[in-house]
Amino acid sequence: MEKNNSTLERILDEGRHLIQKYGYNGFSYADIAEIIGIKKASIHYYFPTKQELVRAVLQRYNKEFLNNLYQIDQQFSDPLDKLKSFFLLYRRTLENDSKICLCSMMAAEISSFPEEIRDDINRFFLDNQKWIEKVLAQKNASDDSSFSDSLSEQSRLLLTFVQGAQLLVRASGEIDQYDTMVNNLLKTL
Amino acid sequence: MEKNNSTLERILDEGRHLIQKYGYNGFSYADIAEIIGIKKASIHYYFPTKQELVRAVLQRYNKEFLNNLYQIDQQFSDPLDKLKSFFLLYRRTLENDSKICLCSMMAAEISSFPEEIRDDINRFFLDNQKWIEKVLAQKNASDDSSFSDSLSEQSRLLLTFVQGAQLLVRASGEIDQYDTMVNNLLKTL
DNA sequence: TATATTCTACCATTTAGTAAGTAAGTCATC
DNA sequence: GATGACTTACTTACTAAATGGTAGAATATA
């Protein structure tokens, strides 16, 4: 998945991992430098300030995530399969050293960021919701079940669920809970 | 609600607010000192280390929250009213300077804490879930609707929802979303 | 007087960030 | 094909401020 080619890409990768694990206020340039074996100043060469770094990390993440959703669309035609893959996407983050979605973490820390970064975070959630909504529309079309809630509201509920599930699983440390909750949620659809 | 009596209580109150807004890694002793108009060293007099402080804040919060749930039980008899008050409890946190639940924030930052603090965080969620489960049991008893999901699983879904909703509302900055989502959720019960 | 509380003054370390230098590569020109 | 100008990618060495934390003096309060 991650090639860790250039120094720049390694900085972005490790920066992302550290934020997902410890948060924006919980990591330093020194942490990244030590992990990838370069000097602090080399990171400043690519990203003069910490906020510039985190913004690059964020935009890269959003792009990659959208690409993942696109891949799911390509791979599956059944809406339910798409939703399952969506939840699996979030599960993989939890599996991997018990991290959480970058934007979940940054949403919690949002008071530490300027408006441009806040906008990027919010856009991530909007894009997620829009994608879910599209899948639900596809599902409703091929289905006989119709919902009273608008698709927009229903997709927001699903997104809300997956965001909250991450926090609970992180608190308990038991990833099996995630599977159980996802299964219970899918039953209600 | 908060009397801000003694110095110790003011330290705990402001510590809590700062964590809810910026996270454990996002505030310092100097911040608290400046806000309540004392010197850093005075905080160390009460709480020698930052982790001791945050642990005291956490345990106080958990106790207060349980007390809030107890108050709800006293005030309402209808299970649905109880649930609405539960969601209102979380809403009040969002209203107040757009903070989130202390344990939501600390769950995100959980990798920064030793096991004893992690346990306290997890216990908060378990207590929440248990309370919801009790309310759902009461609701099912007085109701004709029966659910296929176990009450345990269903209560976890509700808790998951309210945790995720906080993150989304924080990202968008629009608290009305919270009300809409809660209403949509209550419709499904 | 004794005890609890708060302060001044410090410490070592870490923080984000800067300045200046260096080694290696690119590239046009003679 | 060698020379010099410029660029890229990094390092060493530093700074000022902030961090959590401590020792001991000063001040209340009982």
Side-chain angles (χ1 to χ4, degrees):
Chain A
M1 185 68 64
E2 283 159 7
K3 279 287 165 196
N4 279 353
N5 298 326
S6 62
T7 300
L8 185 135
E9 278 172 332
R10 289 199 294 164
I11 293 171
L12 287 172
D13 282 342
E14 284 309 326
R16 170 186 145 179
H17 292 152
L18 285 169
I19 298 174
Q20 288 183 271
K21 187 127 205 222
Y22 301 103
Y24 172 76
N25 290 312
F27 85 101
S28 71
Y29 271 44
D31 294 330
I32 297 181
E34 200 187 12
I35 290 173
I36 70 184
I38 55 171
K39 299 294 161 183
K40 273 195 325 161
S42 307
I43 306 177
H44 283 285
Y45 168 75
Y46 292 100
F47 305 101
T49 69
K50 201 181 177 187
Q51 289 208 344
E52 286 174 77
L53 165 60
V54 78
R55 207 167 174 221
V57 168
L58 183 52
Q59 286 172 351
R60 195 177 197 236
Y61 182 83
N62 287 3
K63 211 171 117 190
E64 275 181 25
F65 201 91
L66 277 180
N67 190 50
N68 281 331
L69 295 183
Y70 177 76
Q71 295 296 329
I72 291 176
D73 280 330
Q74 296 296 307
Q75 199 174 350
F76 301 100
S77 55
D78 179 29
L80 205 63
D81 285 338
K82 290 184 183 182
L83 280 181
K84 283 179 184 168
S85 296
F86 176 80
F87 289 122
L88 193 61
L89 210 55
Y90 276 91
R91 190 193 200 278
R92 269 194 231 118
T93 305
L94 285 167
E95 288 166 12
N96 184 5
D97 202 17
S98 138
K99 291 189 278 246
I100 59 175
C101 161
L102 182 80
C103 290
S104 313
M105 180 63 91
M106 293 185 69
E109 291 181 300
I110 205 148
S111 297
S112 301
F113 303 122
E115 200 164 335
E116 36 179 22
I117 292 184
R118 295 185 194 203
D119 288 346
D120 285 335
I121 297 169
N122 196 34
R123 184 165 313 115
F124 173 83
F125 294 122
L126 290 175
D127 287 340
N128 266 258
Q129 192 203 324
K130 227 159 44 183
W131 184 87
I132 300 174
E133 196 174 335
K134 213 182 54 194
V135 173
L136 289 181
Q138 192 191 340
K139 183 174 171 300
N140 271 19
S142 67
D143 232 37
D144 47 340
S145 74
S146 73
F147 280 91
S148 52
D149 286 352
S150 77
L151 292 184
S152 160
E153 293 306 328
Q154 209 195 341
S155 61
R156 187 135 65 192
L157 284 185
L158 289 187
L159 178 59
T160 302
F161 164 81
V162 80
Q163 291 299 319
Q166 290 180 104
L167 290 186
L168 289 193
V169 169
R170 242 205 163 184
S172 71
E174 293 170 31
I175 199 169
D176 292 348
Q177 281 188 1
Y178 183 82
D179 302 321
T180 312
M181 288 193 286
V182 168
N183 286 334
N184 280 316
L185 186 74
L186 289 176
K187 267 192 274 178
T188 70
L189 291 182
Chain B
M1 184 69 61
E2 284 157 8
K3 279 286 166 196
N4 279 355
N5 298 325
S6 63
T7 302
L8 185 135
E9 279 172 330
R10 288 198 293 164
I11 293 170
L12 288 172
D13 282 342
E14 283 310 325
R16 171 186 144 180
H17 292 151
L18 284 168
I19 299 173
Q20 288 182 271
K21 187 128 205 225
Y22 301 103
Y24 172 76
N25 291 313
F27 86 101
S28 71
Y29 271 43
D31 294 331
I32 298 182
E34 200 187 12
I35 290 173
I36 71 185
I38 56 172
K39 298 294 160 183
K40 273 196 324 164
S42 306
I43 306 177
H44 283 284
Y45 169 74
Y46 292 99
F47 305 101
T49 69
K50 200 182 177 187
Q51 289 209 343
E52 287 174 77
L53 165 60
V54 79
R55 209 169 172 217
V57 167
L58 183 53
Q59 285 171 352
R60 194 177 197 237
Y61 182 84
N62 287 3
K63 212 171 117 189
E64 275 182 25
F65 201 92
L66 277 181
N67 189 51
N68 281 331
L69 296 183
Y70 177 76
Q71 295 296 329
I72 291 176
D73 279 331
Q74 296 295 307
Q75 199 174 351
F76 300 100
S77 55
D78 179 29
L80 204 62
D81 285 338
K82 291 184 182 182
L83 280 181
K84 284 179 184 168
S85 295
F86 176 80
F87 288 124
L88 194 59
L89 210 56
Y90 276 91
R91 191 193 200 275
R92 267 193 234 118
T93 305
L94 285 167
E95 289 166 13
N96 184 4
D97 203 17
S98 136
K99 290 189 279 247
I100 60 174
C101 162
L102 182 79
C103 290
S104 313
M105 180 62 90
M106 292 185 69
E109 291 181 300
I110 204 145
S111 296
S112 300
F113 303 121
E115 200 164 336
E116 35 179 23
I117 292 184
R118 295 185 193 202
D119 288 345
D120 286 335
I121 297 168
N122 196 33
R123 184 164 313 112
F124 173 84
F125 293 123
L126 291 175
D127 288 340
N128 266 258
Q129 191 203 324
K130 227 157 46 181
W131 184 85
I132 300 174
E133 194 174 337
K134 213 181 55 193
V135 173
L136 289 181
Q138 192 191 341
K139 181 173 172 303
N140 271 19
S142 68
D143 233 37
D144 47 339
S145 73
S146 72
F147 280 93
S148 53
D149 287 351
S150 77
L151 292 183
S152 159
E153 292 306 329
Q154 209 195 341
S155 62
R156 188 135 65 192
L157 284 185
L158 289 187
L159 178 59
T160 302
F161 164 81
V162 80
Q163 291 299 320
Q166 290 180 102
L167 290 186
L168 289 194
V169 169
R170 238 199 169 190
S172 73
E174 293 170 30
I175 200 169
D176 292 348
Q177 281 188 0
Y178 183 80
D179 302 321
T180 312
M181 287 193 285
V182 167
N183 287 334
N184 281 318
L185 185 74
L186 289 176
K187 268 192 274 179
T188 71
L189 291 183

